[in-house]
Amino acid sequence: MIFTSTSKGLRGELTVPGDKSISHRAVMFGALSKGTTSVTHFLKGADCLSTIRCFRQLGVSIEDSREKLLIHGQGLHGLKEPSGWLDTGNSGTTTRLLSGILAGQSFSSAINGDASIQTRPMGRIMEPLRQMGARIESLKANGCAPLSIVGGPLRGISYVSPVASAQVKSAVLLAGLYAKGVTSVTEPALSRNHTELMLRGFGAQVDICPETHTASIHPEPALTGQQISVPGDISSAAYFIAAAALTPHSEVLLRHVGINPTRAGMLRVCENMGVDLTLLNQTNHGGEPAADLLIRFHDLSGTVIEGDLIPTLIDELPILAVMACFAKGKTIIRNAEELKVKESNRIAVMVKNLSAMGAHITATEDGMIIEGGAPLHGAQIDSHGDHRVAMSFAVAALNASGETQIQDASCVTISYPEFYRDLKSLCQ
Ligand code: S3P
């Protein structure tokens, strides 16, 4: 797919698709509840469709109409043994959270996903799940999917996770629904807390200690179906925030975007970089704050992105790297080694592709250093099938001279099937 620059900026308003993390969890927690869960503004991206497909295979009836998704819950012990492999596609969230749920069932199952999933580390969930008594194994020597899970009795543990990962935390807490005793997870920095907030909403007892970044869950709750209205995904909004911030003459309004502080680190970085961004019409449903975001073009300056901020913007680092190329001065991203184990190695892939466009960018062990201000030119971009890489370069191309060709640009269907249409609708 070929992209060219825009000289007149981006103008108009947009409602971005529903939050991916919340959409996945709505299906999973709805499936484990008694009664029906209805979900509006559900994200129909390929990853969340993988979650739906897996839960249908586990005997859950899920109705998909245009305006809402209805999940007819089976209760905590109502899932059925699947007849074949559970295919999680490209979705790390589906693979890891589902593993936690399957560990506590009374049947065996096996999970596999696409080529990217088969390279992503699963030891990080297998280790704590095994401590709980789970029988879970990687069928490959590299500790990745395919995974085989022999469900059985579990015991609660207090797990101190070496990584700030919501997927690890959630896998352990979900197994904790089936364990004997309380299960707690302590992480080095707070990762997104949708699992904790939503499980509480469905009726589980989840205790949170913000000082130690610990979440604990009590087993065997009576979960009840809920009505969930999914806010817009800040990780999808991020591309339009960036596009408007760095393209002259732009003014964009993004409606009803989720701004949960465990997810909205990008807003803090935008403030540090000098982005002209205003929050309007703030709301809060089920502990999930949302707002309209108004972004206008403004000169940007370099910044440092590090420490506890990293898990709150982990998926936004590729587009933040693009923004940094247009900022005055140096941007340093550190403590972000997790980028190497996402849908692609996002340090290597961003540095290679941005360098090809003329950016002054260097990879480090745990991040990148970007000297902003070098003019970008079009190039051949290999997205490596990574949706966030493809979307980042579509934004970079708007401000680069010449043509940019993105290979495998269609991978945006993972989280944002209508991304190119929406981007085009704002370009003047
Ligand atoms: C997610 C957590 C993050 C994020 C991913 C979605 C989730 O992964 O990168 O896109 O829904 O829990 P980690 O928690 O492994 O960092």
Short mmCIF file of all heavy atoms in Angstrom, two decimals, residues 20-21 25 93 96 124 164-167 192 314-315 342, ligand 1:
data_model
loop_
_atom_site.label_atom_id
_atom_site.label_comp_id
_atom_site.label_asym_id
_atom_site.label_seq_id
_atom_site.Cartn_x
_atom_site.Cartn_y
_atom_site.Cartn_z
N LYS A 20 -9.37 -2.61 22.88
CA LYS A 20 -9.09 -4.03 22.60
C LYS A 20 -9.02 -4.82 23.90
O LYS A 20 -9.60 -5.90 24.00
CB LYS A 20 -7.78 -4.14 21.81
CG LYS A 20 -7.39 -5.55 21.43
CD LYS A 20 -6.56 -5.57 20.16
CE LYS A 20 -5.10 -5.27 20.41
NZ LYS A 20 -4.40 -6.38 21.09
N SER A 21 -8.32 -4.30 24.88
CA SER A 21 -8.16 -5.04 26.15
C SER A 21 -9.51 -5.26 26.82
O SER A 21 -9.79 -6.35 27.34
CB SER A 21 -7.24 -4.26 27.09
OG SER A 21 -5.95 -4.19 26.57
N ARG A 25 -11.72 -8.89 27.43
CA ARG A 25 -12.13 -9.27 28.79
C ARG A 25 -13.65 -9.36 28.91
O ARG A 25 -14.16 -10.18 29.68
CB ARG A 25 -11.54 -8.27 29.80
CG ARG A 25 -10.01 -8.48 29.98
CD ARG A 25 -9.36 -7.25 30.55
NE ARG A 25 -7.96 -7.45 30.91
CZ ARG A 25 -6.93 -7.42 30.06
NH1 ARG A 25 -7.15 -7.21 28.77
NH2 ARG A 25 -5.70 -7.59 30.48
N THR A 93 -3.03 -11.53 24.14
CA THR A 93 -4.00 -11.42 25.25
C THR A 93 -4.87 -12.67 25.30
O THR A 93 -5.07 -13.26 26.38
CB THR A 93 -4.88 -10.16 25.07
OG1 THR A 93 -4.01 -9.03 24.93
CG2 THR A 93 -5.78 -9.95 26.26
N ARG A 96 -2.66 -15.77 26.49
CA ARG A 96 -2.22 -15.83 27.89
C ARG A 96 -3.40 -15.86 28.86
O ARG A 96 -3.40 -16.65 29.81
CB ARG A 96 -1.29 -14.65 28.17
CG ARG A 96 0.01 -14.73 27.32
CD ARG A 96 1.10 -13.85 27.87
NE ARG A 96 2.35 -14.03 27.13
CZ ARG A 96 2.85 -13.15 26.25
NH1 ARG A 96 2.22 -12.02 25.98
NH2 ARG A 96 4.00 -13.40 25.64
N ARG A 124 6.58 -17.00 30.88
CA ARG A 124 6.14 -16.01 31.87
C ARG A 124 4.77 -16.32 32.47
O ARG A 124 4.46 -15.83 33.56
CB ARG A 124 6.17 -14.61 31.23
CG ARG A 124 5.39 -14.51 29.94
CD ARG A 124 5.38 -13.12 29.35
NE ARG A 124 6.69 -12.57 29.08
CZ ARG A 124 6.95 -11.28 28.86
NH1 ARG A 124 5.95 -10.41 28.86
NH2 ARG A 124 8.16 -10.87 28.62
N ALA A 164 6.30 -6.17 34.43
CA ALA A 164 5.03 -5.45 34.58
C ALA A 164 4.19 -5.79 33.35
O ALA A 164 4.30 -5.13 32.32
CB ALA A 164 5.29 -3.95 34.67
N SER A 165 3.41 -6.84 33.45
CA SER A 165 2.63 -7.30 32.31
C SER A 165 1.21 -7.62 32.75
O SER A 165 0.99 -8.46 33.62
CB SER A 165 3.28 -8.56 31.72
OG SER A 165 2.32 -9.29 30.96
N ALA A 166 0.25 -6.93 32.13
CA ALA A 166 -1.15 -7.19 32.46
C ALA A 166 -1.58 -8.57 32.00
O ALA A 166 -2.48 -9.17 32.57
CB ALA A 166 -2.04 -6.13 31.81
N GLN A 167 -0.90 -9.06 30.96
CA GLN A 167 -1.27 -10.40 30.47
C GLN A 167 -0.85 -11.46 31.48
O GLN A 167 -1.60 -12.41 31.75
CB GLN A 167 -0.65 -10.65 29.10
CG GLN A 167 -1.24 -9.71 28.05
CD GLN A 167 -0.71 -9.95 26.66
OE1 GLN A 167 0.17 -10.78 26.45
NE2 GLN A 167 -1.25 -9.22 25.71
N ARG A 192 -1.76 -2.25 33.07
CA ARG A 192 -3.19 -1.91 32.93
C ARG A 192 -4.04 -2.76 33.87
O ARG A 192 -3.78 -3.96 34.04
CB ARG A 192 -3.64 -2.05 31.47
CG ARG A 192 -3.60 -3.43 30.91
CD ARG A 192 -3.75 -3.41 29.41
NE ARG A 192 -2.61 -2.78 28.77
CZ ARG A 192 -2.53 -2.43 27.49
NH1 ARG A 192 -3.55 -2.65 26.69
NH2 ARG A 192 -1.45 -1.87 27.00
N ILE A 314 2.93 1.13 26.74
CA ILE A 314 3.79 0.17 26.04
C ILE A 314 3.42 0.03 24.56
O ILE A 314 4.29 -0.03 23.70
CB ILE A 314 3.81 -1.20 26.78
CG1 ILE A 314 4.83 -2.14 26.19
CG2 ILE A 314 2.42 -1.86 26.84
CD1 ILE A 314 6.24 -1.80 26.49
N ASP A 315 2.11 0.02 24.26
CA ASP A 315 1.70 -0.17 22.85
C ASP A 315 1.83 1.12 22.03
O ASP A 315 1.71 1.08 20.80
CB ASP A 315 0.26 -0.68 22.78
CG ASP A 315 0.14 -2.10 23.33
OD1 ASP A 315 1.17 -2.81 23.40
OD2 ASP A 315 -0.98 -2.51 23.69
N LYS A 342 6.90 -8.16 21.58
CA LYS A 342 5.53 -7.86 21.15
C LYS A 342 5.28 -8.57 19.80
O LYS A 342 6.01 -9.48 19.44
CB LYS A 342 5.34 -6.34 21.05
CG LYS A 342 5.39 -5.66 22.41
CD LYS A 342 4.22 -6.10 23.28
CE LYS A 342 4.29 -5.52 24.66
NZ LYS A 342 3.26 -6.08 25.56
C1 S3P B 1 -2.58 -6.22 27.00
C2 S3P B 1 -1.44 -6.02 27.72
C3 S3P B 1 -0.17 -5.56 27.15
C4 S3P B 1 -0.34 -4.98 25.75
C5 S3P B 1 -1.27 -5.79 24.90
C6 S3P B 1 -2.64 -5.94 25.56
C7 S3P B 1 -3.79 -6.70 27.69
O1 S3P B 1 0.72 -6.64 27.10
O2 S3P B 1 0.90 -4.84 25.12
O3 S3P B 1 -1.43 -5.18 23.63
O4 S3P B 1 -4.90 -6.61 27.14
O5 S3P B 1 -3.65 -7.20 28.83
P1 S3P B 1 1.62 -7.00 28.39
O6 S3P B 1 0.72 -6.94 29.53
O7 S3P B 1 2.17 -8.37 28.18
O8 S3P B 1 2.70 -5.95 28.42
#
